[in-house]
Amino acid sequence: MIHASRLLAAALLLAGSSTIAVQAQTVPVTPMTPDVVEKYDPVLPEADFIRREVMVPMRDGTRLYTVIVMKKGTKGGPMLLSRSPYDAHGDATRTKSLHLVDIVPAMDAPFVEAGYIRVYQDIRGLHRSEGQFVMNRPLSGPLNPTGIDEATDAYDTIDWLVKNVPESNGKVGIIGSSYLGFTSLMAEIAPHPALKAAVPESPMVDGWMGDDWFHNGAFRVSALDYALGQSTGKADAGAAIPHGAGDDYTRYLRAGSAGDYARKYGVETVPFVRKLMENPAYTDFWSLQAVDKWLAARPLTVPTMLEVGQWDQEDSYGAPAVYNALKDKLGHAPLTLVIGPWRHSGANHYGYDLGALTFAGDTAAQWRRDWVKPFFDHWLRDAPDPKLPAAITYATGIDKWEQSPRWPMGSGQPYYLGPDHGAGFAAPDKAGEVSWVADPASPVPFLPRPIDMGDGAQWKSWLVRDQRFVSGRPDVVSFTGSTLAKPVHIMGAPAVDLFLATSGTDADVVVKLIDVYPDDVPEAAVQGAKPSMAGYELPIGIEIFRGRYLKSFAHPEPLTPGKFNRFRFTLPNVDHVFLPGHRIAVEVQSSLFPLYDRNPQTFVPNIFNAKPGDYKPATMRVGYGGATPSAVILPVVP
C-alpha cells in the first residue's frame, strides 16, 4: 500500500509539472517578458544515456567535480575513469546530442557502446572542483607534507564510485594522456583494490629530464604559456601571454633570455613560472618529483599498458622511463609498452597519417580495437586474456605492427661520423673534425619561419618535418651514409656518443637521426598520390643536451674551452626500418629555437637571468675517428 502511494504521488507530481509547463506556454508574452531561463538541460527524456554530475568528497573534505555517463539500462558495467586538469564537463560534452557516442570523445565510443560506465573528473583546484591546484602535485613525502596527493584523490574517488554507482560491477580502469597519463600513474601508487587496470598514455613523468619543462637541462619556452593558462583562476579564465601576432622566433629573440621574456609580459611571479626559473638544475626539487622513481620504489600491482607516440612532441620520455623502471621488478601484474606512429595524444584520435607520412589505415583505431579494449575487457569484465607481450610497436618504414617479448629488441651498433661529412657502420680510418660557428644572435629554428607555436598544424607534426629547410645553414653539419643495399631495422632508443669541443664555456648539442629518402617520382596527384617525398629528410629522433650538465645534472659546471667533451644521451624510442635505397644521416647543431631557450655559450649561474653581453658566438668542433669516435648507437635487429 505504501509503495502504491508513492507511485501515485510521483504520478501526480509529474502531472503537476506538465500542467505548469502548459500554463507557462499559455501565459501571454509581452515585449517586457524577461528573456532569461534559469537553465536548459540538453539530456532530454528520449536520450539514450544517463548523465550524472556529482561532487565526490576526498578524505580532507575537498569535493571534486565528477561526470558519470552510461547507456540507459546498463547493469554490471565496468567503470573507466579519467582524472583531468582540462575540464571534465567539456570532456563529457563533445557534441550536444541525445546519443551517448556523440557526447563522449571519439576514442570512448566503443567502450560506452559496450556497456562501460565512463567517468571524467576535474582534479582538485581546477574548473568545477574544490581545493588548491599544485602542478603535478608531488607524492606525499619529502616535498609534500599534507598527506594529500593525486594517489590519495584517485583512491578516494574510486572508493566513492564503487559504493555509489549501482549500475557498475565494482571494477575500475583508468586511462588518460599527458597530464591525465600522470594522474593515471599516480592512481597505481597504493591503489584502491577496485582498480584493476591502467593505460597511462604519454604520461608526464619527469619534467626536467625529458618531458614538458626541460630536456636534459634545456628549457622549453612554451612552458611559460602553459603555466599561465593552468595557474590563473581555475584554468578556465582564458589567461594567455598577450604577445600578439607574428613570428615566435623573432619575438623570443628580441626579448633576450627566457627569464627576460617572462618579465617582459609580467608572468615571472606566477608560482609555477617561479618554480621553473628558480630551479634550472636537477636538484631534489625536480628529482624527488620523478614519477618513475616513485613507482620503482614499490611493487606494481595493477596491470598496466604504457603508450607513447614515436613522434611525441611533448612527452616522449615518460612512458619508456616507467617501463625501464618496472620491467625487471614485475610481480603478478603484467606490463606492456606501446609505441605507435603518432604525435602527442594522437593515439586518442586518428592515426591515418602524420605530416607527410601515411600509414596502413587508422593505426590509432587499430591499437584501441585490437589491444586497449581487449585489455580492459579482460581485467574489468573477465573476458579472455589477450596475453599482451612486453612491447607492441608500429614499424614505420614498413608500416606494420610488431609484438616483442622485450624492449628494446635491438642491440647497439655504432653508426660512426666520418670524413667528408660521411657516416657508416665502419669506424673511420683516421681522425678528424668538423667545425662551425654557433651564434646566439642567429639560432637554428626548429621549424621553417614564421613560427607560431600556438598553431596546432605546425606544432603537432614538427618532429616529422623535412629537415632540408636548415640544410643550407653553415651552423648545421650533416654526416650522411651511402645508399642502403638492404634494410636497417632499429627497435629501441638510439644513443648519442658525440665528442664536441667549444671555444666558449657552455654549449647545447642537438642531434638528429634522419632517414633520407631516395629521389623517386610518384604518380601524379590526380591518381591519388600523396605529395612527393623525393629526397625528404625524415627525422627519426631529435634531442638536445645542455653542456653545463655533463658532469652533474644537479651541479652545473662550465666547459673547458677547446677541450673535447663526450656527450652521451638518448634519442626517443623508435621502431623504424631504413629501407633499401634510403640513406641514414646524422645532423648536429647548437640550438633548436625557440622550442628551447638559447644557451648564451658563456657559463652563467642561471640562464634565465643571462644578460645580453653573455650571449657570444662560439666555434664548435665535432671530432670523428681516433680518440674522438663520434657515433650514434643504433639498436639494430637482425
Side-chain angles (χ1 to χ4, degrees), residues 415-418 421-423 434-438 444-445 467 470-471 473-480 496-501 507-514 537 541-545 564-565 567 569 571 585-592 620-624 630-632:
Y415 189 72
Y416 293 101
L417 311 188
H421 295 276
V434 174
S435 65
W436 70 94
V437 175
V444 181
Q467 293 301 297
V470 294
S471 61
R473 290 184 61 114
D475 52 359
V476 177
V477 295
S478 298
F479 301 85
T480 306
V496 173
D497 189 4
L498 189 78
F499 292 84
L500 180 135
D508 285 351
V509 172
V510 177
V511 174
K512 304 174 183 176
L513 176 65
I514 295 174
E537 294 184 0
I542 301 176
E543 194 53 277
I544 190 170
F545 194 103
F564 274 107
N565 293 279
F567 285 76
F569 56 97
L571 304 180
V586 176
E587 285 189 353
V588 185
Q589 57 198 57
S590 302
S591 50
L592 201 61
M620 306 290 177
R621 296 181 293 131
V622 166
Y624 57 80
S630 293
V632 173

Side-chain angles (χ1 to χ4, degrees), residues 230-439:
Q230 287 299 116
S231 303
T232 304
K234 301 183 76 173
D236 51 12
I241 294 176
H243 51 57
D247 185 357
D248 281 337
Y249 181 100
T250 302
R251 180 177 300 112
Y252 281 101
L253 189 61
R254 288 175 177 170
S257 70
D260 289 334
Y261 183 86
R263 288 182 282 270
K264 175 179 179 179
Y265 290 104
V267 300
E268 77 279 10
T269 59
V270 173
F272 192 70
V273 173
R274 288 191 58 196
K275 293 177 183 180
L276 294 167
M277 293 174 58
E278 295 171 17
N279 296 277
Y282 196 59
T283 60
D284 287 352
F285 187 94
W286 297 115
S287 63
L288 293 181
Q289 295 190 49
V291 182
D292 55 328
K293 297 181 177 68
W294 295 341
L295 289 163
R298 48 190 48 83
L300 179 69
T301 59
V302 179
T304 300
M305 182 190 299
L306 297 158
E307 178 274 327
V308 68
Q310 182 161 299
W311 287 286
D312 190 311
Q313 78 279 12
E314 296 179 27
D315 293 303
S316 62
Y317 178 87
V322 171
Y323 178 83
N324 288 333
L326 297 177
K327 65 180 181 180
D328 297 325
K329 302 179 180 180
L330 300 180
H332 298 293
L335 177 69
T336 297
L337 175 66
V338 176
I339 303 174
W342 309 309
R343 60 171 174 86
H344 183 67
S345 296
N348 291 334
H349 302 284
Y350 298 98
Y352 295 103
D353 52 26
L354 181 62
L357 302 180
T358 303
F359 309 120
D362 186 348
T363 56
Q366 292 163 11
W367 172 64
R368 300 192 299 263
R369 177 196 66 209
D370 296 342
W371 291 293
V372 180
K373 191 168 181 298
F375 172 76
F376 278 128
D377 284 347
H378 172 64
W379 294 106
L380 301 185
R381 60 195 332 173
D382 300 321
D385 188 349
K387 300 185 185 301
L388 300 184
I392 301 169
T393 56
Y394 187 87
T396 52
I398 58 174
D399 290 319
K400 72 173 187 177
W401 286 102
E402 300 186 310
Q403 301 187 48
S404 305
R406 64 186 183 278
W407 190 263
M409 282 293 291
S411 57
Q413 294 188 27
Y415 189 72
Y416 293 101
L417 311 188
D420 302 319
H421 295 276
F425 288 106
D429 294 331
K430 60 181 181 179
E433 61 182 51
V434 174
S435 65
W436 70 94
V437 175
D439 187 354

Side-chain angles (χ1 to χ4, degrees), residues 91-133:
D91 288 340
T93 320
R94 178 172 65 91
T95 305
K96 299 291 186 183
S97 174
L98 299 179
H99 301 291
L100 181 55
V101 295
D102 295 335
I103 71 167
V104 299
M107 71 154 291
D108 290 339
F111 290 96
V112 295
E113 280 283 80
Y116 277 72
I117 300 168
R118 197 65 172 91
V119 183
Y120 309 91
Q121 184 179 74
D122 287 333
I123 62 174
R124 64 172 56 219
L126 294 184
H127 301 288
R128 303 187 184 197
S129 283
E130 299 173 349
Q132 291 185 328
F133 172 62

